[in-house]
Amino acid sequence: MQPWDGIEEFIATAETESFSRAATRLGVSTSHISREVARLEDRLSVRLLYRTTRRVSLTDAGRLFLERCRRLVEEREEMFAAVSEQDGAARGHLRLTCSIAYGERFIVPLVNRFLADHPQMSVSIDLTNRVVDLVGEGFDLAVRIGASLGDSRLIAVRLAQRERYLCAAPAYLAAHGVPAGLDDLARHACLLGTAEFWQFQAGGRLVEFKPRGSWRCNSGFAVLDAARQGLGLCQLPDFYVEPDLASGALVSLLEPHRPPAEGIWAVYPHRRHLSPKVARLVDYLKAHVGQA
C-alpha cells in the first residue's frame, strides 16, 4: 500500500458528497472509491465520513484531514507543474464550463482558435446554465457573467462587460404605445425568458421589475424572435439584440433606466501555482472576448 492511496478518492468524495459523483470525477468505479476510502479510514483508525443512503458528509476529523490533504495535493501538483512546465508551454487537458448561448456564440470559437495554436492541449467544454461547482466537479476554468463569487476557493479575472437592453418591435409600439417610465411596464406584454426579474436603474440605485406575460421560453434566441414578431417587450443582453437595434427591427426603450453593465469573468480555483494552460487561456480570452 502506497502512502497516497485513498487520498484523492477521499478528497473527491468529500467535495462531491457522493461516492458515485467522486467516481465520475476520477473516472473509476463507485466500488473503488468506497473501498479506498474505507482502507484509508482503517489506516488512520478514525472515521472520516458519515454515510447515509443519500449522501456522505465529513466528520470533525474528516474536515480537518480534508484541509491538510488539499494542501498536500496542491503542493504536489505545484511541484510537478514547476518541473514539467518550466518552459511555460500550455499543455495537458483543460475542463471549461460556460453558459449555453454565450458559450456557443463567443467562448467556444475563441477556445477553438486558441487550441489551434497550442497543439499540446486538449479540452472538454461543458455548456450549461447552472452554476457549476468548479472545485467539487473538477473544472479548471469557467466563464461567468455578472455573478458574485461567494466562494473563497475561487479567483475571478474580468474579461469584458455586456449591456442589457429593454426593447420591442416598432409594430408592437405602434399598437400599444411607448412606455414612458418604469411604472408603464406593468401594462405591457412582457416576453419571459430565464430571468425572474428585469433590472433597471432609477434614482442612482438598482431596481427590479417582475415581468408578466402570456409568452415564455428558456431560449434567448426564441425571446428575440418573439420580440421581432411584435409580441411584446423583452430585456436581453447586447449580443442578442444589437444587430436588430442597428437595423431598426427593434427599438431600445427607457434608455435612462438601462441597468449597469454586467461583468464577464474568467473564474478558476485558487492555487498558488497557476498552470500555464489556464493562465494562457485566460490571457487569450481577456485579449479577445471584448472584440468578439
Coordinates of all heavy atoms in Angstrom, one line a residue, residues 149-227:
L149 N -18.9 35.8 -6.7 CA -18.2 34.6 -6.5 C -18.8 33.8 -5.3 O -19.2 32.7 -5.4 CB -16.7 34.8 -6.2 CG -15.8 35.1 -7.4 CD1 -14.4 35.2 -7.0 CD2 -15.9 34.0 -8.5
G150 N -18.8 34.5 -4.1 CA -19.3 33.9 -2.9 C -18.5 32.6 -2.5 O -19.1 31.7 -1.8
D151 N -17.3 32.4 -3.0 CA -16.6 31.2 -2.7 C -15.1 31.6 -2.6 O -14.5 32.0 -3.6 CB -16.8 30.2 -3.8 CG -16.3 28.8 -3.5 OD1 -15.3 28.7 -2.7 OD2 -16.8 27.8 -4.0
S152 N -14.5 31.4 -1.4 CA -13.1 31.8 -1.2 C -12.1 30.9 -1.9 O -11.0 31.2 -2.0 CB -12.8 31.8 0.3 OG -13.0 30.5 0.8
R153 N -12.6 29.8 -2.5 CA -11.7 28.9 -3.2 C -11.5 29.3 -4.6 O -10.7 28.7 -5.3 CB -12.3 27.5 -3.2 CG -12.6 26.9 -1.8 CD -13.3 25.5 -1.9 NE -14.6 25.7 -2.5 CZ -15.4 24.7 -2.9 NH1 -15.0 23.4 -2.8 NH2 -16.6 24.9 -3.5
L154 N -12.2 30.4 -5.1 CA -12.1 30.8 -6.5 C -11.5 32.2 -6.6 O -11.5 33.0 -5.7 CB -13.6 30.8 -7.0 CG -14.4 29.5 -7.0 CD1 -15.8 29.8 -7.5 CD2 -13.7 28.4 -7.7
I155 N -10.9 32.4 -7.8 CA -10.4 33.7 -8.2 C -11.1 34.1 -9.5 O -11.4 33.2 -10.4 CB -8.9 33.6 -8.5 CG1 -8.1 33.3 -7.1 CG2 -8.3 34.8 -9.1 CD1 -6.7 33.1 -7.3
A156 N -11.4 35.3 -9.7 CA -12.1 35.8 -10.9 C -11.2 36.9 -11.5 O -10.7 37.8 -10.9 CB -13.5 36.4 -10.5
V157 N -11.2 36.8 -12.9 CA -10.5 37.8 -13.7 C -11.5 38.4 -14.7 O -12.1 37.7 -15.4 CB -9.3 37.2 -14.4 CG1 -8.7 38.2 -15.4 CG2 -8.2 36.6 -13.5
R158 N -11.6 39.7 -14.7 CA -12.6 40.4 -15.5 C -12.1 40.3 -17.0 O -11.0 40.8 -17.3 CB -12.8 41.8 -15.1 CG -14.0 42.5 -15.8 CD -14.2 43.9 -15.3 NE -15.3 44.6 -15.9 CZ -16.5 44.7 -15.3 NH1 -16.7 44.1 -14.2 NH2 -17.5 45.4 -15.9
L159 N -13.0 39.8 -17.9 CA -12.6 39.7 -19.3 C -13.2 40.9 -20.1 O -12.5 41.4 -21.0 CB -13.1 38.4 -19.8 CG -12.7 37.1 -19.2 CD1 -13.3 35.9 -19.8 CD2 -11.1 37.0 -19.3
A160 N -14.4 41.2 -19.8 CA -15.1 42.3 -20.6 C -16.4 42.6 -19.8 O -16.6 42.2 -18.7 CB -15.4 41.8 -22.0
Q161 N -17.3 43.2 -20.5 CA -18.6 43.5 -19.9 C -19.7 43.4 -21.0 O -19.4 43.5 -22.2 CB -18.7 44.9 -19.2 CG -18.5 46.0 -20.2 CD -18.5 47.4 -19.4 OE1 -18.0 47.5 -18.3 NE2 -19.0 48.4 -20.1
R162 N -21.0 43.3 -20.6 CA -22.1 43.3 -21.5 C -23.2 44.2 -21.0 O -23.4 44.4 -19.8 CB -22.6 41.9 -21.8 CG -23.4 41.4 -20.6 CD -24.1 40.1 -21.0 NE -25.0 39.6 -19.9 CZ -25.7 38.5 -19.9 NH1 -25.6 37.7 -21.0 NH2 -26.5 38.2 -19.0
E163 N -23.9 44.8 -22.0 CA -25.1 45.6 -21.7 C -26.4 44.8 -21.8 O -26.4 43.9 -22.6 CB -25.1 46.9 -22.6 CG -23.9 47.7 -22.5 CD -23.9 48.6 -21.3 OE1 -24.9 48.7 -20.6 OE2 -22.8 49.2 -21.0
R164 N -27.4 45.3 -21.1 CA -28.8 44.7 -21.3 C -29.7 45.8 -21.8 O -29.7 46.9 -21.3 CB -29.3 44.1 -20.0 CG -28.6 42.8 -19.6 CD -28.9 42.4 -18.2 NE -28.2 43.3 -17.3 CZ -28.4 43.4 -16.0 NH1 -29.3 42.6 -15.4 NH2 -27.7 44.2 -15.2
Y165 N -30.6 45.4 -22.8 CA -31.5 46.4 -23.4 C -32.9 45.9 -23.2 O -33.2 44.8 -23.4 CB -31.2 46.5 -24.9 CG -29.8 47.2 -25.2 CD1 -28.7 46.4 -25.3 CD2 -29.8 48.5 -25.4 CE1 -27.5 47.0 -25.6 CE2 -28.5 49.1 -25.7 CZ -27.4 48.4 -25.8 OH -26.2 48.9 -26.1
L166 N -33.8 46.9 -22.9 CA -35.2 46.7 -23.0 C -35.6 47.2 -24.4 O -35.3 48.3 -24.8 CB -35.9 47.5 -21.9 CG -37.4 47.4 -22.0 CD1 -37.9 46.1 -21.4 CD2 -38.1 48.6 -21.2
C167 N -36.3 46.3 -25.1 CA -36.6 46.7 -26.5 C -37.9 46.0 -27.0 O -38.4 45.1 -26.3 CB -35.5 46.4 -27.4 SG -34.7 44.8 -27.3
A168 N -38.4 46.5 -28.1 CA -39.6 46.0 -28.7 C -39.6 46.4 -30.2 O -38.8 47.2 -30.6 CB -40.8 46.5 -28.0
A169 N -40.4 45.7 -31.0 CA -40.5 46.0 -32.4 C -41.4 47.2 -32.6 O -42.3 47.5 -31.8 CB -41.1 44.8 -33.1
P170 N -41.1 48.0 -33.7 CA -41.9 49.2 -34.0 C -43.4 48.8 -34.1 O -44.2 49.7 -33.7 CB -41.3 49.6 -35.3 CG -39.9 49.2 -35.3 CD -39.9 47.8 -34.6
A171 N -43.7 47.7 -34.6 CA -45.1 47.3 -34.8 C -45.8 47.2 -33.4 O -47.0 47.6 -33.3 CB -45.3 46.0 -35.6
Y172 N -45.1 46.6 -32.5 CA -45.7 46.5 -31.1 C -45.9 47.9 -30.5 O -47.0 48.2 -29.9 CB -44.8 45.6 -30.2 CG -45.3 45.6 -28.8 CD1 -46.3 44.7 -28.4 CD2 -44.9 46.6 -27.9 CE1 -46.8 44.7 -27.1 CE2 -45.4 46.6 -26.6 CZ -46.3 45.6 -26.2 OH -46.9 45.7 -24.9
L173 N -44.9 48.7 -30.6 CA -45.0 50.1 -30.0 C -46.1 50.9 -30.7 O -46.8 51.7 -30.0 CB -43.7 50.8 -30.1 CG -42.5 50.1 -29.4 CD1 -41.2 50.8 -29.7 CD2 -42.8 50.0 -27.9
A174 N -46.3 50.7 -32.0 CA -47.4 51.5 -32.7 C -48.7 51.0 -32.2 O -49.7 51.8 -32.1 CB -47.2 51.2 -34.2
A175 N -48.8 49.7 -31.9 CA -50.1 49.2 -31.4 C -50.4 49.5 -29.9 O -51.6 49.6 -29.5 CB -50.2 47.7 -31.7
H176 N -49.3 49.5 -29.1 CA -49.5 49.5 -27.7 C -48.9 50.7 -27.0 O -49.1 50.9 -25.8 CB -49.0 48.3 -27.0 CG -49.6 47.0 -27.6 ND1 -50.8 46.5 -27.1 CD2 -49.2 46.1 -28.6 CE1 -51.1 45.4 -27.8 NE2 -50.1 45.1 -28.7
G177 N -48.2 51.6 -27.7 CA -47.6 52.7 -27.1 C -46.2 52.5 -26.6 O -45.8 51.3 -26.4
V178 N -45.5 53.6 -26.4 CA -44.1 53.5 -25.9 C -44.1 53.8 -24.4 O -44.6 54.8 -24.0 CB -43.2 54.5 -26.6 CG1 -41.8 54.5 -26.1 CG2 -43.2 54.3 -28.1
P179 N -43.5 52.9 -23.6 CA -43.5 53.1 -22.2 C -42.7 54.4 -21.9 O -41.5 54.5 -22.4 CB -42.9 51.9 -21.6 CG -42.2 51.2 -22.7 CD -42.9 51.6 -24.0
A180 N -43.2 55.3 -21.1 CA -42.6 56.5 -20.7 C -41.7 56.4 -19.5 O -40.8 57.2 -19.2 CB -43.6 57.6 -20.6
G181 N -42.0 55.4 -18.7 CA -41.3 55.2 -17.4 C -41.4 53.7 -16.9 O -42.2 52.9 -17.5
L182 N -40.8 53.4 -15.8 CA -40.8 52.1 -15.3 C -42.2 51.7 -14.9 O -42.6 50.5 -15.0 CB -39.9 51.9 -14.1 CG -38.4 52.1 -14.5 CD1 -37.5 52.0 -13.2 CD2 -37.9 51.1 -15.5
D183 N -43.0 52.7 -14.4 CA -44.4 52.4 -14.0 C -45.3 51.9 -15.1 O -46.3 51.2 -14.9 CB -45.0 53.6 -13.3 CG -44.4 53.9 -12.0 OD1 -43.7 53.0 -11.4 OD2 -44.5 55.1 -11.5
D184 N -44.9 52.2 -16.3 CA -45.7 51.8 -17.5 C -45.5 50.4 -17.9 O -46.3 49.8 -18.6 CB -45.3 52.7 -18.7 CG -45.8 54.1 -18.6 OD1 -46.7 54.4 -17.7 OD2 -45.3 55.0 -19.4
L185 N -44.5 49.7 -17.4 CA -44.2 48.4 -17.8 C -45.3 47.4 -17.4 O -45.5 46.4 -18.1 CB -42.8 47.9 -17.2 CG -41.6 48.6 -17.7 CD1 -40.3 48.1 -17.0 CD2 -41.4 48.5 -19.2
A186 N -46.0 47.6 -16.3 CA -47.0 46.7 -15.9 C -48.1 46.5 -16.8 O -48.8 45.5 -16.8 CB -47.5 47.1 -14.5
R187 N -48.4 47.5 -17.7 CA -49.5 47.4 -18.6 C -49.1 46.9 -20.0 O -49.9 46.8 -20.9 CB -50.2 48.8 -18.8 CG -49.3 49.8 -19.5 CD -50.0 51.2 -19.6 NE -49.2 52.2 -20.3 CZ -49.1 52.3 -21.6 NH1 -49.7 51.4 -22.4 NH2 -48.3 53.3 -22.1
H188 N -47.8 46.5 -20.1 CA -47.3 45.9 -21.4 C -47.2 44.4 -21.3 O -46.9 43.8 -20.3 CB -46.0 46.6 -21.8 CG -46.1 48.0 -22.3 ND1 -46.3 48.2 -23.7 CD2 -46.1 49.2 -21.7 CE1 -46.4 49.5 -23.9 NE2 -46.3 50.1 -22.7
A189 N -47.3 43.8 -22.5 CA -47.0 42.4 -22.6 C -45.5 42.1 -22.5 O -44.7 42.8 -23.3 CB -47.5 41.8 -24.0
C190 N -45.1 41.3 -21.7 CA -43.6 41.0 -21.5 C -43.3 39.6 -22.0 O -44.1 38.7 -21.7 CB -43.2 41.2 -20.0 SG -43.5 42.8 -19.3
L191 N -42.2 39.5 -22.6 CA -41.7 38.2 -23.1 C -40.8 37.6 -22.1 O -39.7 38.2 -21.8 CB -41.0 38.4 -24.5 CG -41.9 39.1 -25.6 CD1 -41.1 39.4 -26.8 CD2 -43.1 38.2 -25.9
L192 N -41.1 36.5 -21.5 CA -40.4 36.0 -20.4 C -39.4 34.9 -20.8 O -39.7 34.0 -21.5 CB -41.5 35.3 -19.4 CG -42.7 36.2 -19.0 CD1 -43.6 35.4 -18.1 CD2 -42.2 37.5 -18.4
G193 N -38.2 35.1 -20.3 CA -37.1 34.2 -20.5 C -36.7 33.5 -19.2 O -37.6 33.1 -18.4
T194 N -35.4 33.3 -19.0 CA -34.9 32.6 -17.8 C -34.8 33.5 -16.6 O -34.8 33.0 -15.5 CB -33.6 32.0 -18.1 OG1 -32.6 33.0 -18.5 CG2 -33.7 30.9 -19.2
A195 N -34.7 34.9 -16.8 CA -34.6 35.8 -15.7 C -35.9 36.0 -15.0 O -36.9 36.3 -15.7 CB -34.0 37.1 -16.2
E196 N -36.0 35.8 -13.7 CA -37.2 36.0 -13.0 C -37.5 37.5 -12.9 O -38.7 37.9 -12.8 CB -37.1 35.4 -11.6 CG -38.3 35.5 -10.7 CD -38.2 34.9 -9.4 OE1 -37.1 34.4 -9.1 OE2 -39.2 35.0 -8.6
F197 N -36.5 38.4 -12.8 CA -36.7 39.8 -12.7 C -35.9 40.5 -13.8 O -34.8 40.1 -14.2 CB -36.2 40.3 -11.3 CG -37.0 39.8 -10.2 CD1 -36.6 38.7 -9.5 CD2 -38.2 40.5 -9.8 CE1 -37.3 38.2 -8.4 CE2 -38.9 40.0 -8.7 CZ -38.5 38.9 -8.0
W198 N -36.4 41.6 -14.3 CA -35.7 42.6 -15.1 C -35.1 43.6 -14.2 O -35.7 44.1 -13.3 CB -36.6 43.2 -16.2 CG -37.1 42.2 -17.2 CD1 -36.7 40.9 -17.4 CD2 -38.1 42.5 -18.2 NE1 -37.4 40.4 -18.4 CE2 -38.2 41.3 -19.0 CE3 -38.8 43.6 -18.6 CZ2 -39.1 41.2 -20.1 CZ3 -39.7 43.5 -19.7 CH2 -39.8 42.3 -20.4
Q199 N -33.9 44.1 -14.6 CA -33.2 45.1 -13.7 C -33.1 46.4 -14.5 O -32.9 46.5 -15.7 CB -31.8 44.6 -13.4 CG -31.8 43.4 -12.4 CD -30.4 43.0 -12.0 OE1 -29.5 43.2 -12.6 NE2 -30.4 42.4 -10.7
F200 N -33.2 47.5 -13.7 CA -33.1 48.8 -14.2 C -32.4 49.7 -13.2 O -32.2 49.3 -12.1 CB -34.5 49.4 -14.5 CG -35.3 48.6 -15.5 CD1 -36.2 47.6 -15.1 CD2 -35.2 48.8 -16.9 CE1 -36.9 46.9 -16.0 CE2 -35.9 48.1 -17.8 CZ -36.8 47.1 -17.4
Q201 N -32.1 51.0 -13.6 CA -31.5 52.0 -12.7 C -32.6 53.1 -12.5 O -33.2 53.5 -13.5 CB -30.3 52.6 -13.3 CG -29.1 51.7 -13.3 CD -27.8 52.4 -13.6 OE1 -27.1 52.9 -12.7 NE2 -27.5 52.6 -14.9
A202 N -32.7 53.5 -11.3 CA -33.7 54.6 -11.0 C -33.2 55.3 -9.8 O -32.9 54.7 -8.8 CB -35.1 54.1 -10.8
G203 N -33.0 56.6 -9.9 CA -32.5 57.4 -8.8 C -31.2 57.0 -8.2 O -30.9 57.0 -7.0
G204 N -30.3 56.5 -9.1 CA -29.0 56.1 -8.7 C -28.9 54.8 -8.0 O -27.8 54.4 -7.5
R205 N -30.0 54.0 -8.1 CA -29.9 52.7 -7.5 C -30.5 51.6 -8.4 O -31.2 51.9 -9.4 CB -30.7 52.6 -6.2 CG -32.1 52.9 -6.3 CD -32.8 53.1 -4.9 NE -34.2 53.4 -5.0 CZ -35.2 52.5 -5.1 NH1 -34.9 51.2 -5.1 NH2 -36.5 52.8 -5.2
L206 N -30.2 50.4 -8.2 CA -30.7 49.3 -9.0 C -32.1 48.9 -8.5 O -32.3 48.7 -7.3 CB -29.7 48.1 -8.9 CG -30.0 46.9 -9.8 CD1 -29.7 47.3 -11.2 CD2 -29.1 45.7 -9.4
V207 N -33.0 48.8 -9.4 CA -34.4 48.3 -9.1 C -34.7 47.1 -10.0 O -34.2 47.0 -11.1 CB -35.4 49.5 -9.3 CG1 -35.1 50.6 -8.4 CG2 -35.4 49.9 -10.8
E208 N -35.6 46.3 -9.5 CA -36.1 45.1 -10.2 C -37.6 45.2 -10.5 O -38.4 45.7 -9.7 CB -35.8 43.9 -9.3 CG -34.3 43.6 -9.2 CD -34.0 42.3 -8.4 OE1 -34.8 41.9 -7.6 OE2 -33.0 41.7 -8.7
F209 N -37.9 44.7 -11.6 CA -39.3 44.6 -12.1 C -39.6 43.1 -12.4 O -38.8 42.5 -13.2 CB -39.5 45.5 -13.3 CG -40.8 45.2 -14.0 CD1 -42.0 45.7 -13.4 CD2 -40.9 44.5 -15.2 CE1 -43.2 45.5 -14.1 CE2 -42.1 44.3 -15.9 CZ -43.3 44.8 -15.3
K210 N -40.7 42.6 -11.9 CA -41.0 41.2 -12.2 C -42.0 41.2 -13.4 O -43.1 41.6 -13.4 CB -41.8 40.5 -11.0 CG -42.0 39.1 -11.2 CD -42.6 38.4 -10.0 CE -42.9 36.9 -10.2 NZ -41.7 36.2 -10.5
P211 N -41.4 40.8 -14.6 CA -42.3 40.8 -15.8 C -43.4 39.8 -15.8 O -43.2 38.7 -15.2 CB -41.2 40.5 -16.9 CG -40.2 39.7 -16.2 CD -40.1 40.2 -14.8
R212 N -44.5 40.1 -16.4 CA -45.6 39.2 -16.5 C -46.1 39.2 -18.0 O -46.1 40.3 -18.7 CB -46.7 39.6 -15.6 CG -46.3 39.7 -14.1 CD -47.5 40.0 -13.2 NE -47.1 40.1 -11.8 CZ -46.9 39.0 -11.0 NH1 -47.1 37.8 -11.5 NH2 -46.5 39.2 -9.8
G213 N -46.5 38.1 -18.5 CA -47.0 38.0 -19.8 C -47.4 36.6 -20.1 O -47.3 35.7 -19.3
S214 N -48.0 36.4 -21.3 CA -48.6 35.1 -21.7 C -47.6 34.3 -22.5 O -48.0 33.2 -23.1 CB -49.9 35.3 -22.5 OG -49.6 36.1 -23.6
W215 N -46.4 34.8 -22.7 CA -45.4 34.1 -23.5 C -44.1 33.8 -22.7 O -43.6 34.7 -22.1 CB -45.0 34.9 -24.8 CG -44.2 34.2 -25.8 CD1 -44.7 33.7 -27.0 CD2 -42.8 34.0 -25.8 NE1 -43.6 33.2 -27.7 CE2 -42.5 33.3 -27.0 CE3 -41.8 34.3 -24.9 CZ2 -41.2 33.0 -27.4 CZ3 -40.5 34.0 -25.3 CH2 -40.2 33.3 -26.5
R216 N -43.6 32.6 -22.8 CA -42.4 32.3 -22.0 C -41.6 31.2 -22.8 O -42.1 30.3 -23.4 CB -42.7 31.7 -20.6 CG -41.4 31.3 -19.8 CD -41.8 30.7 -18.5 NE -42.5 31.6 -17.6 CZ -41.8 32.4 -16.8 NH1 -40.5 32.4 -16.7 NH2 -42.5 33.2 -16.0
C217 N -40.2 31.4 -22.8 CA -39.3 30.3 -23.3 C -38.0 30.5 -22.7 O -37.5 31.6 -22.4 CB -39.2 30.5 -24.8 SG -38.2 29.2 -25.6
N218 N -37.2 29.4 -22.4 CA -35.9 29.5 -21.8 C -34.8 29.7 -22.8 O -33.6 29.5 -22.4 CB -35.7 28.2 -21.0 CG -35.6 27.0 -21.8 OD1 -35.9 27.0 -23.0 ND2 -35.2 25.9 -21.2
S219 N -35.1 30.1 -24.0 CA -34.1 30.4 -25.0 C -34.1 31.9 -25.3 O -35.1 32.4 -25.7 CB -34.4 29.6 -26.3 OG -33.6 30.1 -27.4
G220 N -32.9 32.5 -25.2 CA -32.8 33.9 -25.6 C -33.1 34.2 -27.0 O -33.7 35.2 -27.4
F221 N -32.7 33.3 -27.9 CA -33.0 33.5 -29.3 C -34.4 33.4 -29.6 O -35.0 34.1 -30.5 CB -32.2 32.5 -30.1 CG -30.7 32.7 -30.1 CD1 -29.8 31.9 -29.4 CD2 -30.1 33.8 -30.8 CE1 -28.4 32.2 -29.4 CE2 -28.8 34.1 -30.7 CZ -27.9 33.3 -30.0
A222 N -35.2 32.5 -28.9 CA -36.6 32.4 -29.1 C -37.3 33.7 -28.6 O -38.2 34.2 -29.2 CB -37.1 31.2 -28.3
V223 N -36.8 34.3 -27.5 CA -37.3 35.6 -27.0 C -37.1 36.6 -28.0 O -38.0 37.5 -28.3 CB -36.7 35.9 -25.6 CG1 -37.1 37.3 -25.2 CG2 -37.0 34.9 -24.5
L224 N -35.9 36.7 -28.6 CA -35.6 37.6 -29.6 C -36.6 37.5 -30.8 O -37.1 38.6 -31.3 CB -34.2 37.4 -30.1 CG -33.7 38.3 -31.2 CD1 -33.7 39.8 -30.9 CD2 -32.3 37.9 -31.6
D225 N -36.8 36.3 -31.2 CA -37.7 36.2 -32.4 C -39.1 36.6 -32.0 O -39.8 37.3 -32.9 CB -37.8 34.7 -32.8 CG -38.6 34.5 -34.1 OD1 -38.1 34.9 -35.2 OD2 -39.7 34.0 -34.0
A226 N -39.6 36.3 -30.8 CA -40.9 36.8 -30.4 C -41.0 38.3 -30.4 O -42.0 38.9 -30.8 CB -41.3 36.2 -29.1
A227 N -39.9 39.0 -29.9 CA -39.9 40.4 -30.0 C -39.9 41.0 -31.4 O -40.6 41.9 -31.7 CB -38.6 40.9 -29.2

